[in-house]
Amino acid sequence: MRDRGDDDEFTLLPDLAVRPLGGSVIWANDEFFAEKENLINPGPAQYRPSDFGHKGQIYDGWETRRHRGQPGDDAAIVRLGVPGVIRGIVVDTAWFKGNYPPAVSVSALEVEDYPPAETLAARDDWVMLVDRSPIAGDYRNPFAVENEKRWTHVKLTMHPDGGVARLRVHGEGRPDPRLLGLGPLDLAALENGALVLDCSNRFYSSPNQLLYPGWARSMGEGWETARRRDDGNDWVRIRLAGPGLIRLAELDTSYFLGNSPGAARLTGRTNDGTELELLPRTPLQPDTRHRFPIAPMAASVEEVRLDIYPDGGLARLRLYGELGA
């Protein structure tokens, strides 16, 4: 497959629509050849040239029938697994060479609660994030987005029809303000607004997965670094959901057996740059959910650095507490 070359910076941000984050394709006006749900599957699209079904070549993507003199376009609506600010969108037409749409557009909505899909499809107040733009086949087509609003749904429109393998919606999570303050909060959760700022190494997998909801189902759903051959150690910096007081830390090495870190350390950073040791360098065990109480803190922290020694992988990081001044 042809590629766009150097990654756009926004693609380092989490994909707010991907299925493991709870994304869902809730509506499409047509999915004759290939199911709409494929749009948000994790990982790249797959293709086998001899894989035919009753309706033709089976594609790992969303594909509609050909328009035959009928006006209009085809569209699909995705409910984001993590609502938030969208920084960029990738419309990936991998393996679609003679059947990709010549142009696409992407719009968005913010809605409360969970209205029926048909109600959303009928609304006329969708806000355009990506104007109608030409795209290439068998290619990752990136579009930067400049909009600071919070969104819960996006609509991909093909002009007029065809197939798209994956839709990636990269951005930063923003929680529903109505749900804040109702109990203990995971200050390191993507869905609450936390974000990975930087890390030392992302060779095997993205550190964003540390902040995913739920339990990892395999080693591939965590963060794993390359083997170090020096005296240093690997680390990741996380911006919390907001300045807060951390009461409990959970470092989960589930599925990491021969490659879990030997030890870990947590350091908080306040808004004036002061560093607070939250968890001293502490040995870790393989394939274990470690839970560590955090001593009462002198001040709220807005960032946390997780150091692992010397390298390896973790499935999840949870930092429970409450938002503070």
Side-chain angles (χ1 to χ4, degrees):
M1 184 183 73
R2 293 185 295 157
D3 208 334
R4 63 185 181 276
D6 293 336
D7 280 347
D8 292 84
E9 186 176 353
F10 69 73
T11 62
L12 296 177
L13 295 171
D15 177 5
L16 305 180
V18 73
R19 171 68 67 178
L21 270 182
S24 177
V25 186
I26 63 172
W27 178 89
N29 67 305
D30 186 281
E31 50 181 333
F32 185 84
F33 287 112
E35 296 82 1
K36 63 186 186 298
E37 286 80 9
N38 292 329
L39 279 172
I40 60 171
N41 285 343
Q46 306 298 311
Y47 178 79
R48 291 184 294 181
S50 61
D51 201 355
F52 278 84
H54 182 68
K55 295 179 181 180
Q57 172 68 48
I58 297 174
Y59 280 91
D60 182 10
W62 169 50
E63 185 183 7
T64 67
R65 72 192 77 200
R66 301 183 189 216
H67 284 199
R68 296 299 193 190
Q70 298 176 347
D73 301 309
D74 291 330
I77 295 175
V78 176
R79 185 183 65 233
L80 300 179
V82 172
V85 177
I86 297 171
R87 303 299 185 189
I89 290 170
V90 176
V91 179
D92 185 352
T93 55
W95 307 111
F96 287 94
K97 300 178 180 180
N99 50 353
Y100 63 91
V104 298
S105 59
V106 182
S107 51
L109 273 181
E110 180 185 21
V111 298
E112 292 184 353
D113 302 321
Y114 308 94
E118 293 75 14
T119 300
L120 294 175
R123 289 180 58 157
D124 60 4
D125 57 342
W126 288 84
V127 176
M128 194 65 65
L129 298 184
V130 177
D131 292 328
R132 179 170 176 160
S133 303
I135 63 171
D138 196 28
Y139 189 74
R140 295 187 182 95
N141 299 270
F143 301 95
V145 174
E146 295 184 4
N147 189 300
E148 295 298 321
K149 292 186 178 180
R150 175 183 183 267
W151 307 106
T152 59
H153 296 73
V154 296
K155 179 167 67 174
L156 170 66
T157 301
M158 299 190 293
H159 305 283
D161 55 40
V164 171
R166 297 287 189 268
L167 177 67
R168 302 304 187 202
V169 184
H170 297 279
E172 304 170 29
R174 294 288 186 271
D176 184 339
R178 299 175 302 164
L179 304 181
L180 297 178
L182 300 182
L185 188 70
D186 181 2
L187 299 172
L190 278 175
E191 59 189 340
N192 292 331
L195 183 70
V196 170
L197 297 176
D198 198 5
C199 74
S200 59
N201 186 280
R202 59 180 81 227
F203 186 85
Y204 287 109
S205 49
S206 171
N208 288 312
Q209 296 189 147
L210 285 173
L211 315 185
Y212 273 25
W215 294 358
R217 296 168 298 178
S218 70
M219 190 173 63
E221 294 188 1
W223 169 52
E224 184 182 2
T225 71
R227 300 189 187 205
R228 297 192 73 98
R229 305 302 187 187
D230 56 25
D231 295 330
N233 71 282
D234 287 319
W235 51 267
V236 59
R237 283 178 53 225
I238 298 163
R239 186 193 70 199
L240 300 180
L245 301 171
I246 299 171
R247 308 298 189 190
L248 176 69
E250 182 176 304
L251 281 66
D252 184 358
T253 60
S254 293
Y255 298 101
F256 288 91
L257 298 171
N259 51 357
S260 62
R265 179 174 184 252
L266 289 171
T267 306
R269 182 180 178 274
T270 66
N271 59 7
D272 64 1
T274 302
E275 292 190 350
L276 301 176
E277 184 174 75
L278 306 178
L279 181 72
R281 181 167 173 165
T282 302
L284 298 182
Q285 300 301 318
D287 199 23
T288 301
R289 291 176 62 213
H290 308 78
R291 296 168 67 86
F292 302 108
I294 303 299
M297 298 165 54
S300 295
V301 295
E302 60 181 19
E303 290 183 18
V304 166
R305 172 171 164 144
L306 166 66
D307 283 273
I308 58 174
Y309 300 93
D311 53 32
L314 278 84
R316 294 289 187 268
L317 172 68
R318 309 289 190 212
L319 299 173
Y320 296 104
E322 61 262 7
L323 292 172

